[in-house]
């Protein structure tokens, strides 16, 4: 893939230049964000299944990116190891990667995105570009942004492991007695934010936490359509309240907002590759989420 890197960089640069200036999509380093997504979903990461060498390779990359932007480390080397038992009763070792940017206040937002995926099945690699290299690459780009633009709240950036095996990384984070849960006022979770043909990004959570609704409703990232929903119990399987890492925060009584797209043809399929990412949509989605975080950082106590 290295021989294509210059072509990809030039393509991304041309894409960014072609987008309307009114979109305000120049705050995140979109070129590097897309390149991080590509690297995290490369075959070399072997689908990033928890407890595998592929997951370790992805983890080393994420740690390196956190070091590069000089984020503070919550634990030594940004690593937060944990163990859990899978459905077969086998003990699995997972590792979250956690850094933070100190704000002017001790109260904190925890921004999450899981980096694990399905691994290799029947010799086929499930790369998980949308699910969820997209969320992790956006998380890293936002960390870089807030290192240069000091937030009001302290922002904890957690690339979580074990989501596909039952939100295990999020549960381990919240069960760690060294983490002052009383300081966490909000969880922002990103999981699948890069593949959508209708220009729609959903934000779930305002049904449970209606005080967040008027803040989000003021965000108008056109031409992207930021839609509220998928968070009401009467929706059955279309209720996303417990379907990603934000569910663990919700169970602890911590307000959440979950950003994601509806399921698509590549969901949990071997075709969830970088080549199928809607690059323009992804850049706009990441900036829309950034707009929400900035508004929440200003408005929430």
């Amino acid at each position: 893939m290295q021989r294509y890197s210059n072509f990809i960089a030039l393509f991304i640069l041309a894409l960014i230049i072609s987008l309307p200036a009114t979109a305000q999509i120049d705050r995140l380093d979109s070129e590097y964000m897309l390149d991080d997504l590509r690297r995290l979903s490369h075959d070399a990461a072997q689908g990033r299944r928890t407890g595998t060498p592929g997951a370790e390779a992805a983890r080393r990359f994420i740690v390196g990116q956190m070091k590069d932007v000089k984020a503070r480390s919550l634990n030594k080397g940004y690593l937060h190891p944990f163990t859990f038992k899978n459905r077969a009763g086998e003990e699995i070792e997972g590792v979250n990667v956690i850094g933070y940017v100190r704000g002017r206040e001790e109260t904190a937002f925890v921004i999450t995105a899981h980096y694990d995926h399905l691994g290799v099945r029947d010799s086929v690699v499930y790369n998980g570009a949308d699910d969820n290299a997209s969320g992790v690459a956006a998380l890293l780009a936002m960390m870089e942004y807030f290192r240069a633009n000091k937030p009001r709240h302290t922002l904890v950036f957690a690339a979580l492991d074990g989501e596909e095996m039952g939100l295990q990384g999020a549960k381990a984070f919240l069960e760690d007695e060294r983490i002052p849960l009383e300081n966490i006022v909000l969880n922002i979770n990103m999981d699948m934010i890069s593949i959508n043909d209708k220009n729609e990004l959903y934000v779930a959570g305002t049904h449970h936490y209606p005080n967040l609704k008027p803040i989000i409703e003021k965000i108008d990232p056109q031409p992207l359509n930021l839609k509220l929903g998928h968070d009401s119990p009467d929706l059955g399987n279309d209720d996303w309240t417990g379907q990603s890492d934000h569910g663990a925060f919700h169970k602890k009584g911590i307000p959440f907002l979950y950003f994601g797209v509806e399921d698509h043809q590549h969901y949990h399929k071997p075709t969830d590759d970088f080549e199928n990412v809607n690059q323009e949509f992804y850049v706009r989605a990441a900036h829309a989420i950034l707009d929400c975080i900035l508004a929440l950082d200003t408005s929430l106590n």
Side-chain angles (χ1 to χ4, degrees), residues 12 18 44 46 71 87 140 195 205 234 270-271:
I12 295 167
S18 69
Q46 300 175 326
R87 292 175 181 175
L140 294 170
I195 297 180
D234 63 323
T271 54

Side-chain angles (χ1 to χ4, degrees), residues 219-257:
I219 307 301
D220 185 18
Q222 290 194 20
L224 182 141
N225 188 7
L226 187 62
K227 303 184 70 171
L228 303 179
H230 284 293
D231 53 6
S232 176
D234 63 323
L235 294 175
N237 290 335
D238 283 332
D239 177 11
W240 296 348
T241 299
Q243 294 189 17
S244 185
D245 290 312
H246 57 275
F249 287 82
H250 179 58
K251 283 189 174 181
K252 291 286 187 180
I254 298 170
F256 76 88
L257 289 173

Side-chain angles (χ1 to χ4, degrees), residues 10 23 39 41 44 76 100 147 160 187 200 267 296:
L10 289 171
R39 291 172 183 270
S41 58
K76 184 177 180 181
Y100 70 97
R147 279 285 293 133
L160 298 174
N187 168 230
E200 293 178 347
Y267 172 65
L296 292 159

Side-chain angles (χ1 to χ4, degrees), residues 194-216:
S194 69
I195 297 180
N196 183 269
D197 294 328
K198 296 185 290 186
N199 227 18
E200 293 178 347
L201 178 71
Y202 274 89
V203 52
T206 61
H207 173 84
H208 301 284
Y209 305 100
N211 63 306
L212 304 177
K213 185 176 181 179
I215 302 172
I216 299 303

Side-chain angles (χ1 to χ4, degrees), residues 11-23:
F11 171 78
I12 295 167
L13 181 60
L15 168 66
I16 293 168
I17 291 172
S18 69
L19 294 174
T22 54

